[in-house]
Amino acid sequence: MTEFIPPGARWVDLPSPFPMKRGGTLHNARVAFETWGTLDAAAGNALLILTGLSPDAHVASRDDDPTPGWWEAMVGPGKPIDTERWFVVCVNPIGSCKGSTGPASVDPATGDLYRLAFPDVSIEDIADGAAHVVRSLGIERLACVVGNSMGGMTALALLHRHPGISRTHINISGSARALPFSIAVRSLQREAIRLDPNWNEGRYDEATYPESGMRIARKLGVITYRSALEWDGRFGRVRLESDRPDEEPFGLEFQVESYLEGHARRFVRRYDPNSYLYLSRSMDWFDLAEYAGGDVLAALARVRVERALAIGARTDILFPVEQQEEIAEGLSRGGAEARFVGLDSPQGHDAFLVDMDRFGPAVRSFLDGL
Amino acid sequence: MTEFIPPGARWVDLPSPFPMKRGGTLHNARVAFETWGTLDAAAGNALLILTGLSPDAHVASRDDDPTPGWWEAMVGPGKPIDTERWFVVCVNPIGSCKGSTGPASVDPATGDLYRLAFPDVSIEDIADGAAHVVRSLGIERLACVVGNSMGGMTALALLHRHPGISRTHINISGSARALPFSIAVRSLQREAIRLDPNWNEGRYDEATYPESGMRIARKLGVITYRSALEWDGRFGRVRLESDRPDEEPFGLEFQVESYLEGHARRFVRRYDPNSYLYLSRSMDWFDLAEYAGGDVLAALARVRVERALAIGARTDILFPVEQQEEIAEGLSRGGAEARFVGLDSPQGHDAFLVDMDRFGPAVRSFLDGL
């Protein structure tokens, strides 16, 4: 299984051995990142972006890699995260297949791919990897850490484990702990992969890629990333335009089915199934409340930031806005000037990627105030 | 593949040939049903129950079959649907594997199981099958037709195609047409079955039952039948009690995962996968608006009932309460005294099966008023 690394990626070597939270260590591991803009003399204008499960570190186009990034509308000159003002760093998570060391990387102990020999990955490990990148760039204190979805979890872990690493924080469609609905969805995504005979306990190759399992996992993701409200308006009951119906029994017939199919095709064989399993599980495990005897607000109150913004879409069923409200409340208790904003985006969990009319101004206004 | 027929089932033979809405005919087909209570001399106290996708006609226990039914708390002497007052009939849908003729039945033309040679099943066909049962029991006019979930669709089709067949109607967590979120969920459930190599275009047997596909389909069903709100309170982040963790890679760890697993185990091998595919698809196709140039309210306004109640749970993501509100509005336009009641049940689409404290009184009060 190959990795999928954007051409503009750079790397930071992690200390070797690098201890992992749940046991095990990594040797000769590295973390991939990209940067935009210029770090000022005092290293005071750095902004770190932490990603969701699947994106790479290529958050926006750049002269040396003009491919549009996954958050192209948010990051760039004059954009809400303005690269003329901020030195933007985006880090690829440990465990990913998109540059940082993960299950699809070569295990230096054996010369073979890690596969399931890779140690458990926790959100805290991903945060520690990001902290190494930040420090290696000569940044003692970030101006802001921005985390989306899984990256919102990672940002909280980073702030908790590396006190003072950032003055401020924007948490977008994130949460301080996984709740059972999202655990159930992710568990089912993992089961679809595990039940695919091609998965074979992680020992697949290009010819035996567990395509069926990854298709199901991706489509289930897309269903839960979006919202019924958006789809009612977007697809309704419109059928596929075709001279003849899909000949396969129970084949595609409605536009919404074709939309899911398109998402699956763009994902399958472009993400490593083992990496997917590791990062999916890391989200289930994450619970900031562990650090305060099970009290999530108390754990958030121990996070030290000056200002924070927690935002999300009211139609998000995977990371519901109550979880962003909880983050703002907990950070406020710790003394931060923290605000929660629930946006009326119809696009559910994915809204931060597509509803720039709402998410753009919220992010811009917070950063303008710094 | 065997069928799964409750011991108290009775049958009505359909006219042979029996034409199906989307083409094809059935020969020597029959519809399974059960009854409770006594039909009065004027045949004026008959109440028909139309079911969701998976239940059989055994809605409640009876002397000749003391097994608790799937709606035991709702139907019986002194219960909200009081069998001392009503002659209750429950019909198993055409296409099911639980008594009525379906893909798991023997095709008289070949002597083999129908499997995918079974013609397309539409909600309208299911409604026509139910109408034959009603008439064969000597009932010209039902006092009430009650439909849940898919049965709510079937009830609307029945009322539309057989004008005057019922004086009143209770639509529970139903809808007048499938919308894209529920189509997407069902499409993915079907795909999980179709991708299981054991499915083999419908040619499985006991030894090659497509267990993996049915597991995924059922778990996805349970996730969408319930609600995040309920699970937060019920499971939180509680882990399984076990001396040692599940040894399988990425195996079960949280109670919510074990809950899904229990549901899958109770379903898999107890439902015919082809029947599941047929009935699942019939829901996607259903759109009462077809009968009024695409205007769903106009189509509902053509349905003739005297009184109606449309109820559902506000946490239902599969048949959202807006769809029950639409039913009440449309039936009102047609001159019915129709009321919508959205209940604050936390259990989502499944609430009508478990939240008797809310659904029981709503049904009882409507029926008491007749």
Side-chain angles (χ1 to χ4, degrees), chain B residues 65-240:
Chain B
D65 182 1
T67 318
W70 56 265
W71 221 11
E72 188 73 23
M74 186 66 93
V75 179
K79 294 183 180 170
I81 299 179
D82 187 348
T83 51
E84 288 175 342
R85 178 177 178 197
W86 305 107
F87 175 64
V88 174
V89 183
C90 184
V91 167
N92 181 242
I94 289 176
S96 168
C97 56
K98 295 194 169 172
S100 297
T101 301
S105 309
V106 172
D107 178 353
T110 65
D112 293 329
L113 300 188
Y114 275 108
R115 304 183 187 275
L116 301 200
F118 202 77
D120 284 349
V121 175
S122 71
I123 294 291
E124 286 85 344
D125 302 318
I126 299 170
D128 288 354
H132 274 283
V133 173
V134 168
R135 301 265 154 73
S136 80
L137 291 168
I139 300 159
E140 197 166 311
R141 191 159 204 215
L142 293 160
C144 188
V145 54
V146 179
N148 306 316
S149 186
M150 183 181 89
M153 294 174 157
T154 312
L156 293 173
L158 178 77
L159 291 165
H160 186 84
R161 293 165 75 83
H162 303 273
I165 198 169
S166 186
R167 282 172 50 215
T168 72
H169 171 40
I170 303 178
N171 199 295
I172 302 180
S173 305
S175 78
R177 57 178 166 180
L179 288 178
F181 180 82
S182 56
I183 292 174
V185 168
R186 286 191 291 261
S187 175
L188 186 53
Q189 290 174 308
R190 292 192 299 269
E191 185 168 358
I193 297 168
R194 291 160 55 212
L195 285 173
D196 187 326
N198 275 356
W199 178 60
N200 189 26
E201 302 222 331
R203 292 182 297 273
Y204 48 82
D205 57 25
E206 287 290 343
T208 58
Y209 183 97
E211 181 162 335
S212 295
M214 288 294 277
R215 289 175 64 81
I216 300 289
R218 181 58 171 177
K219 288 189 177 185
L220 178 52
V222 174
I223 287 174
T224 53
Y225 298 157
R226 294 291 177 140
S227 85
L229 176 70
E230 182 204 0
W231 286 2
D232 288 352
R234 186 163 166 189
F235 303 114
R237 291 187 45 81
V238 177
R239 283 175 159 80
L240 292 174

Side-chain angles (χ1 to χ4, degrees), chain A residues 26 33 104 107 126 166 182 193 237 256 294 302 310 313 315 321 348 360 366:
Chain A
L26 295 179
F33 68 98
D107 178 354
I126 298 169
S166 186
S182 56
I193 297 169
R237 291 186 46 79
V256 68
R302 291 183 191 174
T315 48
V321 283
F366 179 85

Side-chain angles (χ1 to χ4, degrees), chain A residues 8-309:
Chain A
R10 293 157 59 197
W11 282 270
V12 160
D13 290 330
L14 292 177
S16 187
F18 178 81
M20 302 284 272
K21 183 195 174 209
R22 295 175 55 93
T25 51
L26 295 179
H27 293 267
N28 308 334
R30 58 188 197 163
V31 174
F33 68 98
E34 295 193 28
T35 70
W36 294 257
T38 308
L39 188 62
D40 64 23
N45 70 330
L47 183 150
L48 173 67
I49 295 175
L50 296 167
T51 79
L53 187 158
S54 57
D56 55 31
H58 189 62
V59 73
S61 57
R62 218 182 27 235
D63 289 347
D64 61 339
D65 181 0
T67 319
W70 56 266
W71 221 11
E72 188 72 23
M74 186 66 94
V75 179
K79 294 185 180 169
I81 298 178
D82 186 350
T83 51
E84 289 176 339
R85 178 178 178 197
W86 305 108
F87 175 65
V88 174
V89 183
C90 183
V91 167
N92 181 242
I94 290 176
S96 168
C97 56
K98 295 193 170 172
S100 297
T101 301
S105 308
V106 172
D107 178 354
T110 65
D112 293 328
L113 300 189
Y114 275 107
R115 305 184 186 272
L116 301 200
F118 202 77
D120 285 347
V121 174
S122 70
I123 294 291
E124 286 85 344
D125 301 319
I126 298 169
D128 289 353
H132 274 282
V133 173
V134 169
R135 300 264 152 73
S136 79
L137 292 169
I139 300 159
E140 198 166 312
R141 191 158 205 218
L142 295 159
C144 189
V145 55
V146 179
N148 306 315
S149 186
M150 183 181 89
M153 292 174 158
T154 312
L156 293 173
L158 178 77
L159 291 165
H160 186 86
R161 293 165 74 83
H162 303 273
I165 198 168
S166 186
R167 280 173 52 214
T168 72
H169 171 41
I170 303 179
N171 199 295
I172 302 180
S173 305
S175 78
R177 57 178 167 180
L179 288 177
F181 180 81
S182 56
I183 292 175
V185 168
R186 286 191 290 262
S187 176
L188 186 53
Q189 290 174 308
R190 293 192 299 270
E191 185 168 358
I193 297 169
R194 291 161 55 214
L195 284 173
D196 187 327
N198 275 357
W199 179 60
N200 190 24
E201 302 222 331
R203 294 182 297 272
Y204 48 83
D205 58 25
E206 286 291 342
T208 59
Y209 182 97
E211 183 162 333
S212 295
M214 288 295 276
R215 289 175 63 81
I216 301 288
R218 183 56 172 177
K219 288 189 176 184
L220 178 52
V222 175
I223 287 175
T224 54
Y225 297 158
R226 293 290 176 141
S227 86
L229 177 69
E230 181 203 2
W231 286 1
D232 288 352
R234 186 164 168 190
F235 303 113
R237 291 186 46 79
V238 178
R239 284 175 158 81
L240 292 173
E241 281 178 27
S242 170
D243 288 342
R244 60 193 185 99
D246 189 335
E247 293 292 328
E248 269 195 56
F250 306 100
L252 307 188
E253 180 168 339
F254 292 94
Q255 274 195 355
V256 68
E257 296 179 279
S258 166
Y259 166 81
L260 289 180
E261 182 64 20
H263 271 282
R265 288 204 181 143
R266 287 192 295 278
F267 187 71
V268 164
R269 296 190 177 274
R270 296 187 197 179
Y271 203 89
D272 172 57
N274 290 333
S275 299
Y276 193 93
L277 293 169
Y278 272 86
L279 291 181
S280 165
R281 183 71 120 167
S282 77
M283 281 189 267
D284 290 3
W285 282 327
F286 185 61
D287 182 9
L288 202 71
E290 275 177 17
Y291 300 104
D295 181 338
V296 71
L297 290 172
L300 283 160
R302 291 183 191 174
V303 168
R304 289 284 162 264
V305 282
E306 295 167 13
R307 296 178 63 174
L309 172 69

